[in-house]
Structure formats: structure tokens, C-alpha cells
Amino acid sequence: MPLWPVYTGTKEPHDGITELPAPPPWRAFDGGPELDTPADAADTAATSPDRAHRAATYRATAQTVQLVNAALYLRRPLLVTGPPGTGKSSLAYAVARELKLGPVLRWNITSRSTLHDGLYQYDPLSRLYAARQAAATRTPGATAPESGIEDHLRLGPLGTALLPYARPRALLIDEIDKSDLDLPNDLLNVLEEGQYEIPELVRSSGSGDEDPQATVMVDGTHERVPVERGRVRCRAFPFVVLTSNGEREFPPAFLRRCVTLRLRQPDDSHLADIVRAHFDGEPDGYAQDLIDRFLSRASGGDLATDQLLNAIYLARSSDLPADSLDDLAEQLMPYLGEAQRSDAF
């Protein structure tokens, strides 16, 4: 019997992803050869303790759990919108940790980002330089080993996520609303088809000059994976989280291909739960007072949860008197927009 919910929003990692039902017929993929999923995201704590902490302390709402599972079942990207500091990026790390999807692949979007950046990077100049170096150092009469295209090509976060892994990889496409107007439309075909081509490898595999199978480096590591004839197709569609601060509208064709989750500022009980998770215990009296002040102040403009956490941390870690703490807390929680009120606590 299929498991619902697969993602529960609890702390404990589990193998529930193996009980995910078969995809809808229009979202089935058959890429290969199948690749093993990299080490679980929880195992990266030594090299990335901040991200491990973010994953372990994330607290999902009931709505978040429902829509994450909808995206997993439907094999659709999850578009997460909401004010800054509501946990949009942390969600990807929390899901990857609980479902053992391996380290999160992250693509930070800017106004200059293109689809090509997310898929792969190829440096023809470094290949030319390597060929010249080899020719200059080879022994007269000897044949120098040729530097192939694959030695100068690395898959990007999107390109890596679409490899034929046995389990879905988690991909965070952060702040998609900062992109050029064309990027959401450019993503449509790749996310719909679950595949892409690397033209440089397609040409070389068809010319007879190189082996039709290339081994290329993947995003974030020195690991190499095989790519047949320059074509990559996923096997398990990745868990794709696209975050947006709501600064722009997206094309209808893009929106209808996503499951949309709209986050709001957490309420009193949710904030207390977040504080409890980050500080490993119930909020003390002053922390609860800061939560109440934060909620009151948030009614006048945009604030981020991490501003509250910063204030609570300093209150617990310093020996400042109460009036100084109040003044410092106010300075740590300025409104994030330009037009909001400047009321003091």
C-alpha cells in the first residue's frame, strides 16, 4: 500500500521514499544506467554544519507537509513563495534529510543566470591550453594523450539533479524571481521532459573521434558519472524546490507545471516551536516576551524569523541588562521593506 505522507515533517530520517507509488503515466521517466544516491544529507554535518542544523530544526506546517507530498507523488516542482525568513530554502534541506535524498544541490539565481548555467559548464579554452601543454612536453616521436571534452566539462546543479539516480535528488533553485524574464520559460521543457542534451558530447560521440560514453564531473564534488552519447535523462524525477519572495509574477505555463506552496509569517505557537527546535528547550520568559514583541511588530511590516532567533541568542549568550537587551533587540529587527513603519517596541 503506498505511504501517505511520505514526508512527515518529523526529525527522523527514514526510507519512506521507497514506498512512493508509481508516477502518473505522463510523468514516468526511464533514464539509465541507474546511479546510486550519494551519501545521506545528514552525513554532511562535518563539512556543512549550518545546513545540517537548518535541516534538523525546520518545522513544517500541516499545509507544507501536504503540498510537499503532492509534489513528490506528482513528480512536479514545488514553487514556494512567501516573505523572507519563512523557511523557504530550509524546506529543501529538511525534506532531503528526512527522505535520505543525499546532499541538496543548490542553484542560486541572479539576473544573469541562464538555463545553460544550471545544466553544465564547458571550458573550451582550458581544453585548448591542456592540448598545447601536452604537445610542448611530449617526447619527440611519442603520441601525447589527448585531453577529451569530458575533462573540461562539469554538470551544474540542475544537470546533476536530472541524472538517473535511484532516488530523487533534492534541488533548490533559490530566488527564481530574481532571474531574467526568460529563465522560467526556458526551464519548462527541461522540467517537463526530465532530460537534456550536451551538444559538445553529442557531436563528439557521433563523429567517431571519441567513445560514445563520456564520464563527466558532477556538481559539488569530483565524482564522475557516465553519460551516453551526450544525453541525460532522469530515472526518479528530482524533488525541485523553487523559492520566490513574491517580487514578480510567473507565466501561466510555468505555474501550471508546479505545485505552489504559499508560506506566511508563523504564528505564536509555530514561532515557539521554531525557537524550541533551535535552542533545544522551551522558550524562557524573556524569549517568550521577544516572540510576543516580534509578532506585534510584524503586523506593521516584513520581518524574518532569523531576526528573532538572533535576538534570542544574544539575550541568552550575553549578560546585558534588560533595558540594553530591549534596545539591541529593536535594532536587530528592522523592517525589511522601505515603506514600513518605524515604530519602536
Side-chain angles (χ1 to χ4, degrees), residues 186-204:
D186 292 342
L187 282 168
L188 287 180
N189 186 62
V190 171
L191 294 177
E192 189 68 16
E193 301 297 329
Q195 62 186 20
Y196 64 97
E197 290 187 350
I198 303 173
E200 293 84 354
L201 293 180
V202 173
R203 286 194 296 269
S204 66

Side-chain angles (χ1 to χ4, degrees), residues 22-314:
W26 55 92
R27 297 297 294 163
F29 304 98
D30 58 359
E34 183 177 300
L35 300 175
D36 292 333
T37 303
D40 181 50
D43 296 334
T44 65
T47 56
S48 186
D50 57 328
R51 293 181 179 181
H53 176 81
R54 186 185 309 178
T57 57
Y58 182 80
R59 290 296 177 266
T61 64
Q63 179 197 31
T64 298
V65 171
Q66 289 289 83
L67 291 177
V68 166
N69 281 281
L72 289 167
Y73 268 59
L74 296 171
R75 278 67 169 184
R76 289 290 184 185
L78 182 68
L79 176 62
V80 185
T81 67
T86 48
K88 299 186 295 294
S89 301
S90 298
L91 174 59
Y93 294 96
V95 175
R97 179 181 185 273
E98 182 181 325
L99 300 183
K100 301 182 181 179
L101 305 183
V104 173
L105 299 158
R106 181 165 185 154
W107 184 14
N108 296 312
I109 301 299
T110 70
S111 60
R112 299 179 301 278
S113 299
T114 67
L115 178 62
H116 188 279
D117 298 330
L119 291 176
Y120 71 96
Q121 300 86 41
Y122 170 58
D123 188 352
L125 293 180
S126 71
R127 187 186 184 200
L128 178 61
Y129 177 77
R132 288 178 175 174
Q133 286 290 98
T137 58
R138 76 170 179 238
T139 304
T143 301
E146 185 177 350
S147 178
I149 289 174
E150 62 195 77
D151 296 323
H152 306 277
L153 188 149
R154 179 187 291 273
L155 300 185
L158 174 59
T160 300
L162 291 172
L163 287 167
Y165 287 108
R167 291 188 179 196
R169 292 298 305 271
L171 170 65
L172 172 60
I173 303 179
D174 207 19
E175 299 193 319
I176 185 68
D177 48 354
K178 292 192 181 332
S179 72
D180 177 89
L181 290 175
D182 291 332
L183 183 59
N185 281 327
D186 292 342
L187 282 168
L188 287 180
N189 186 62
V190 171
L191 294 177
E192 189 68 16
E193 301 297 329
Q195 62 186 20
Y196 64 97
E197 290 187 350
I198 303 173
E200 293 84 354
L201 293 180
V202 173
R203 286 194 296 269
S204 66
S205 66
S207 66
D209 295 334
E210 298 191 20
D211 192 297
Q213 184 181 86
T215 56
V216 300
M217 290 184 289
V218 301
D219 181 68
T221 73
H222 295 294
E223 176 192 359
R224 286 182 172 270
V225 297
V227 173
E228 293 279 353
R229 301 190 180 278
R231 296 176 176 87
V232 175
R233 180 172 171 82
C234 70
R235 190 174 189 88
F237 187 78
F239 175 63
V240 181
V241 175
L242 305 107
T243 72
S244 166
N245 291 326
E247 297 175 0
R248 61 179 278 194
E249 294 184 357
F250 296 104
F254 177 79
L255 292 175
R256 73 179 179 85
R257 289 171 169 84
C258 298
V259 173
T260 300
L261 167 63
R262 294 180 175 86
L263 297 179
R264 294 176 176 80
Q265 287 286 3
D267 60 17
D268 183 26
S269 62
H270 194 191
L271 273 177
D273 195 26
I274 291 171
V275 170
R276 195 178 299 116
H278 280 273
F279 296 100
D280 198 24
E282 292 293 328
D284 58 23
Y286 191 75
Q288 185 60 54
D289 183 46
L290 283 176
I291 291 174
D292 295 339
R293 296 182 183 190
F294 177 87
L295 287 169
S296 175
R297 188 170 173 79
S299 64
D302 288 338
L303 294 174
T305 305
D306 48 2
Q307 293 173 290
L308 171 64
L309 296 176
N310 290 339
I312 293 175
Y313 173 80
L314 286 179

